[in-house]
Each structure stands twice: as C-alpha cells, then as structure tokens.
Amino acid sequence: MKGLQITRQKIVVVVALMISTAILYLELGARGLVRWSHFNQSGVVRHHIEKNDSSGPRIPGGQNIFFIIVGIASILVALWMLKNKRNSKIPYLIAAVGSSGIIILLD
C-alpha cells in the first residue's frame, strides 16, 4: 500500500493546489465585490426578479462573499495540512468534501 501513504511530496503538491485555487477564489470574489460596489456607487441598481423564480431572496454580492470565504477556508485547511504533516487525514477529507460540495452547489 505504498501508493496510499502520505509522503512529504504529496503534502506539498496538495497544499500548492489548495493555495493556488484559494488565490483564484479570493481574486474572483474580490473582483466581483469591486464590480458590485461600482454599480452601487453609480446609482445603478440591478434587480433580477422574475415572477416564477422560486429560489428565494438573493443577498447582494453574496456569491462574491461566498468565494472569499471559500478562499480563506482553503488557505486555512492548507496550513493545517502543513502543520499536521502525516498525523491525520482529517484536513484531506475536509478538502475533498468541501471541493465536492462546491462543485455540486455551483453545478
């Protein structure tokens, strides 16, 4: 079962991937918030309300805030992986479940 062992190289690769995706999430969220704040400062308010829309109320800038929170959480889990080394598989499970949840949620 040599392939299932968590080696230092695997930890570095996973942490690098986690941090790179976290940077993308943070940039996406920050750009969206900047765009959203420019719309509000110019007095232009965008409302996308459809009569048959049953998805419920939307939080202005909510998707952008979501991406920022996911980016911060990804960095925290990556740091946990570095600190924890090979003592626990919990941060890896959290990363896998969180990534799967984001894929399902945004699908």
Side-chain angles (χ1 to χ4, degrees):
M1 290 213 148
K2 187 178 178 184
L4 295 177
Q5 292 177 346
I6 300 174
T7 63
R8 185 168 185 79
Q9 291 83 10
K10 289 179 183 177
I11 293 171
V12 170
V13 169
V14 171
V15 167
L17 289 171
M18 294 272 302
I19 290 176
S20 64
T21 56
I23 290 169
L24 292 173
Y25 286 136
L26 290 169
E27 183 179 356
L28 180 65
R31 283 185 183 197
L33 284 177
V34 168
R35 238 181 292 126
W36 179 76
S37 69
H38 286 303
F39 279 131
N40 286 343
Q41 288 174 358
S42 66
V44 177
V45 179
R46 300 183 314 164
H47 292 283
H48 298 288
I49 300 173
E50 297 177 12
K51 292 183 180 184
N52 295 331
D53 185 16
S54 61
S55 64
R58 293 189 174 261
I59 299 170
Q63 187 176 17
N64 304 318
I65 294 168
F66 171 77
F67 281 119
I68 290 172
I69 291 170
V70 168
I72 292 169
S74 295
I75 290 172
L76 293 175
V77 171
L79 293 174
W80 184 11
M81 288 175 184
L82 282 176
K83 181 182 177 198
N84 200 17
K85 306 263 190 243
R86 292 168 253 184
N87 296 330
S88 174
K89 294 182 182 179
I90 293 174
Y92 301 96
L93 292 172
I94 290 172
V97 170
S99 296
S100 299
I102 292 168
I103 290 169
I104 291 168
L105 183 66
L106 297 178
D107 185 28

